[in-house]
Amino acid sequence: MKLFLVPTPIGNMEDITLRAIRVLREADFVLCEDTRTTKNLLKHYELDKRCLPYHINNEHQQLQRFIAEIKQAETVALVSDAGTPGISDPGFLLLRECISEGIEIECLPGATALIPAVVNSGLPCDSFYFNGFLPHKKGKESTLKKLAEMQETVIFYESPHRLAKTLVMMVPFFGEERRISISRELTKIHEENFRGTLAEAISHFPTDKEIKGEIVVVVSPK
């Protein structure tokens, strides 16, 4: 029995490895964040697999069921909707329990949004801090204050409908002249990479502008 963590494309369907396709083909079943999304992916590569939903709303309640299913299989693949499982996506609880139960784990290398975002930002990427998603409400200001003091490049994810307000909230802590890069819809047709100061970013992404897509924010060190 073995669990494979399989990264999936964050947008462009060509961004998957040959090995990932082989593992998906050979897996007894696939644990996935959204079965509809994963089935579309599998269909694209002409794969037909049983898909079981594993997501934030059921990972605690059905964890032991998933462990039992994995123990009865030879190989199982875990995927998220996009990118690498466990990186701001479900996966950690299952991985921890598999290790506790002596189930072999292997994580394949592959797509994740934070790496291309920091590399193409033009900001230092020899040392960086990844924060995942910022708190929605409670603790957001204290998190921003902490990030503003870091000596490393800072990366975090943000939802499109919160981006503009978050940029405004950053000003008292980061200052208007802090360099920032915002990547939107990475690898997709409408990919956008904004680079400039925080003040310029606020002008580019005003609160009354409709913003769409997945967002990665990269901020220069203090």
Side-chain angles (χ1 to χ4, degrees):
M1 55 187 174
K2 188 172 185 177
L3 176 67
F4 284 93
L5 280 65
V6 182
T8 57
I10 60 175
N12 191 314
M13 285 292 196
E14 294 180 359
D15 294 333
I16 192 169
T17 67
L18 295 174
R19 185 176 173 216
I21 294 174
R22 176 180 61 78
V23 169
L24 289 172
R25 181 183 297 114
E26 296 174 355
D28 294 299
F29 62 90
V30 180
L31 291 171
C32 46
E33 191 174 0
D34 187 319
T35 56
R36 295 166 298 182
T37 300
T38 300
K39 285 180 178 178
N40 285 337
L41 176 75
L42 295 174
K43 183 178 179 181
H44 181 81
Y45 297 111
E46 300 180 345
L47 302 174
D48 183 18
K49 288 290 170 180
R50 180 167 72 107
C51 294
L52 299 179
Y54 172 79
H55 46 73
I56 193 171
N57 295 318
N58 73 355
E59 60 178 349
H60 285 87
Q61 300 93 327
Q62 300 198 46
L63 181 59
Q64 294 308 316
R65 173 208 166 191
F66 295 134
I67 293 295
E69 292 266 8
I70 293 170
K71 285 183 175 180
Q72 294 174 12
E74 185 173 345
T75 60
V76 176
L78 171 66
V79 302
S80 60
D81 287 349
T84 301
I87 304 295
S88 294
D89 277 325
F92 166 70
L93 286 178
L94 183 65
L95 175 62
R96 183 178 64 181
E97 191 67 17
C98 282
I99 293 173
S100 176
E101 292 288 330
I103 297 171
E104 189 176 358
I105 304 289
E106 188 166 347
C107 182
L108 276 59
T112 184
L114 70 98
I115 297 301
V118 68
V119 171
N120 74 25
S121 69
L123 300 173
C125 55
D126 56 332
S127 177
F128 57 83
Y129 177 84
F130 174 61
N131 189 80
F133 282 97
L134 296 176
H136 288 189
K137 294 181 181 179
K138 186 178 180 180
K140 188 169 184 176
E141 286 195 0
S142 60
T143 298
L144 289 174
K145 183 178 181 179
K146 178 190 74 172
L147 297 179
E149 295 300 314
M150 290 199 161
Q151 301 298 319
E152 300 84 20
T153 296
V154 169
I155 310 166
F156 61 86
Y157 293 158
E158 187 56 285
S159 66
H161 65 274
R162 288 195 300 267
L163 176 63
K165 290 183 178 179
T166 295
L167 294 175
V168 173
M169 285 182 65
M170 290 172 65
V171 173
F173 309 110
F174 290 84
E176 292 187 335
E177 296 306 308
R178 185 75 71 95
R179 302 297 297 180
I180 187 170
S181 174
I182 300 171
S183 294
R184 186 179 66 84
E185 293 286 79
L186 281 169
T187 79
K188 300 179 183 178
I189 295 175
H190 301 293
E191 176 176 334
E192 176 186 14
N193 291 286
F194 168 87
R195 303 174 185 89
T197 64
L198 180 54
E200 290 168 341
I202 291 172
S203 297
H204 188 80
F205 297 102
T207 54
D208 59 351
K209 178 182 179 180
E210 183 180 11
I211 304 169
K212 297 181 179 180
E214 304 296 326
I215 307 289
V216 187
V217 179
V218 184
V219 191
S220 64
K222 182 178 180 181

